[in-house]
Amino acid sequence: MKLFSVLVASSFLTISAFGVSPAQKAGIQKAPVSGLRKDAAATSPLFRDPSLTRGGAVPGWAAYNEALDKNPLPTKAFTSLVGWALGDFLAQVFISGGPFDWKRFITLSAFGFLYHGPSGHYFYNFLDRKIEGTQAKHVAIKVAIDQLIWCPIFMTVFFTYLGLVNGDGLSAIGNKIKNDLFSACQGSWKVWPLVHTINFRFISTKHRLIFINGVQVAFNMFLSLIGTKKA
């Protein structure tokens, strides 16, 4: 219940961070529209107007967007590294208790960098290319694909990665997946359909991962706990 409350709070904080507020009047010029933003998903109402200030003029936001444009893959990888590192840190400090497990912290942070960020980059770009538009039917199809196909694949990779890092055999890894895959997916289905409805309806393609990581800081607390639970 405590973790669910954190998830809900994280969701609202992330959504509010992407809120739109009027920019200051000091000579703002509209930037030219990039050819990379022609599809509907990439021109969401939260990001398409450069005369508006997003997230209360978050420091470094312009630099982060520039990095997304110039080096999207490594930028998203580092974004997920931060999200997973923070999620496990909070899980260990506020939920697990006991001595801080640095191996676990580094293992989960590396997973964010090596798999979550890069795979999310390619998956969401692919999904937005194949299913264009932000109408209700398009959003519903994307959410269904994400949760019914991508989620089990992602969780399977997650448990396999943890098993290999810990030196587990294929039998132990298989038992872990068999015992915990459905529970992990159930946890996802309680949170992510709503989050991704907002994500696919309002958030531009290049900003999907930072939005997801904002919410996933709390969800990663759940994953770090279930991922390190003994099979």
Side-chain angles (χ1 to χ4, degrees), residues 84 107-108 111 115 152-164 176-177 184 220 222-228:
W84 282 77
T107 296
L108 292 170
F111 180 80
Y115 183 76
I153 294 173
F154 177 86
M155 295 297 183
T156 299
V157 173
F158 176 64
F159 290 134
T160 302
Y161 166 82
L162 290 182
L164 292 175
K176 177 70 175 178
I177 294 172
N220 284 348
F222 163 73
L223 287 183
S224 69
L225 293 175
I226 194 172
T228 53

Side-chain angles (χ1 to χ4, degrees), residues 4 63 70 117 119 183-184 217 219:
F4 180 76
K70 292 182 177 179
S119 67
S183 296
V217 165
F219 188 71

Side-chain angles (χ1 to χ4, degrees), residues 88-168:
D88 183 63
F89 174 81
L90 294 174
Q92 291 201 50
V93 172
F94 294 107
I95 298 179
S96 299
F100 193 83
D101 188 339
W102 284 101
K103 179 183 176 182
R104 167 178 151 178
F105 176 76
I106 294 172
T107 296
L108 292 170
S109 301
F111 180 80
F113 178 77
L114 296 172
Y115 183 76
H116 182 265
S119 67
H121 168 74
Y122 289 113
F123 173 69
Y124 292 115
N125 283 357
F126 170 81
L127 203 58
D128 285 333
R129 283 198 308 270
K130 296 300 181 182
I131 306 173
E132 297 183 351
T134 57
Q135 290 83 2
K137 65 177 182 180
H138 299 132
V139 171
I141 292 172
K142 288 180 180 181
V143 171
I145 292 173
D146 182 273
Q147 290 301 294
L148 298 178
I149 299 177
W150 180 247
C151 177
I153 294 173
F154 177 86
M155 295 297 183
T156 299
V157 173
F158 176 64
F159 290 134
T160 302
Y161 166 82
L162 290 182
L164 292 175
V165 170
N166 291 328
D168 296 336

